[in-house]
Amino acid sequence: MSAYFLKHHQRMFENHLTQKLGNLPIDRIDITDWLEVFEELAGRIPGTAKNLLSNTKQMLKWAAKRKYVQTNVLADIYPKADLNIVSKPTKRVLTDEEIIVFYECLKWSRLTEKNKIFLELCLIYACRNGELRRAEKKHFDFKRKIWRVPPDNHKTGYKNDKTLIRPILPYMEVLIKEAFELSGGKYLFSNGKDETEYLTDAASTQLPSSVIGWVKRFKKETMEHWSLHDLRRTARTNFSSFSKNRDIHEIMLGHVLPNNQEVYDLHNYLDEQTEVYEKWIEKLETLKR
């Protein structure tokens, strides 16, 4: 149990379980014990509690199928109904003024060049950060000017087994090739000195805090918290000012289109994507100092 949690959950959760339950074998932890742990977490950190409940249910489901435990005791436990966790979708979008400061940080801060490129590509492409973290160099075709995101590397891939196709514009190509030079292994963004692994989620999700910290220290300003996903939302919001074709914007984000459109329309819409990306990059260029 300990090894699994260290790999798949936050270390805090494992410590919390140990304090509450001692070293009981997992098949001796009953529903009352689990609920006590999750209810306490839900009262303090509901978002984390929700994610940990989901991950733990998956763990127990896996174990139950292989008869390591008799049953998944959390199978019928749900965040809203049982833990009173109500999801509040965030609406954080960086303003033009904040994007200016964002680029100032990329220019003057001591963030590594690799991390600066990672942040900028997240903002430009509006991709999920995991798509960039898991990207391999072979996925970038500079001859055809396309970036292929295989099904295993994006959120909806398990549903539609679809490879996402995104264009590589000249400015993107410069950044991607710089990242190639900075990562010696097969991944676009390797994990520090370990070039056999891709950039971890934990390392990437700390980058916004580094930017916010730089702003506070060197600009003497307080920047409202934002996440990598908020860069995705920022780009998507700007796409609407360049084009009214929402389906193209959703394709750019890698979302599943409604009404079985993806079943019958397999066109990649690269030209339409390129048009929007060109306008987005043009705007970003005006916000750099």
Side-chain angles (χ1 to χ4, degrees), residues 53-183:
L53 173 63
S54 176
N55 291 340
T56 307
K57 287 172 70 172
Q58 288 297 317
M59 179 195 71
L60 292 174
K61 179 180 178 181
W62 179 91
K65 283 186 175 181
R66 289 158 179 80
K67 305 302 181 183
Y68 295 129
V69 297
Q70 290 186 346
T71 183
N72 179 359
V73 296
L74 293 177
D76 295 326
I77 302 301
Y78 299 96
K80 183 177 181 180
D82 300 297
L83 302 178
N84 199 30
I85 297 176
V86 179
S87 297
K88 297 179 180 179
T90 59
K91 298 181 180 179
R92 179 73 166 100
V93 173
L94 272 65
T95 64
D96 288 357
E97 291 74 18
E98 288 177 319
I99 295 175
I100 289 173
V101 175
F102 171 86
Y103 271 109
E104 287 182 10
C105 178
L106 297 192
K107 182 177 181 180
W108 300 111
S109 77
R110 299 179 67 178
L111 283 172
T112 66
E113 289 303 313
K114 180 176 68 174
N115 286 336
K116 291 178 181 180
I117 293 170
F118 179 82
L119 283 169
E120 187 168 11
L121 286 176
C122 282
L123 178 62
I124 292 174
Y125 268 117
C127 58
R128 301 175 182 90
N129 80 83
E131 294 166 7
L132 269 181
R133 289 190 299 103
R134 297 183 181 91
E136 299 180 27
K137 294 178 179 179
K138 67 181 181 180
H139 297 155
F140 298 89
D141 185 338
F142 296 119
K143 184 175 181 180
R144 297 183 60 194
K145 307 297 183 185
I146 58 174
W147 169 26
R148 294 185 179 89
V149 184
D152 288 344
N153 282 15
H154 67 92
K155 185 176 180 180
T156 59
Y158 77 97
K159 293 181 180 179
N160 54 23
D161 196 34
K162 179 180 179 180
T163 296
L164 303 180
I165 307 294
R166 295 194 174 104
I168 300 176
L169 278 65
Y171 184 76
M172 298 163 167
E173 183 172 351
V174 171
L175 293 175
I176 294 167
K177 286 184 174 179
E178 286 181 10
F180 269 41
E181 295 297 322
L182 294 169
S183 295

Side-chain angles (χ1 to χ4, degrees), residues 5 11 27 84 99 102 147 152 178 215 256 264 267 269-270:
F5 274 93
R11 189 183 300 272
D27 57 355
N84 199 30
I99 295 175
F102 171 86
W147 169 26
D152 288 344
E178 286 181 10
V215 173
V256 175
Y264 298 101
H267 186 60
Y269 291 96
L270 278 173

Side-chain angles (χ1 to χ4, degrees), residues 176-208:
I176 294 167
K177 286 184 174 179
E178 286 181 10
F180 269 41
E181 295 297 322
L182 294 169
S183 295
K186 69 177 183 178
Y187 293 105
L188 179 65
F189 295 101
S190 57
N191 185 30
K193 295 181 180 180
D194 186 356
E195 296 180 343
T196 65
E197 298 290 337
Y198 55 74
L199 181 67
T200 65
D201 181 55
S204 65
T205 53
Q206 292 300 314
L207 295 179

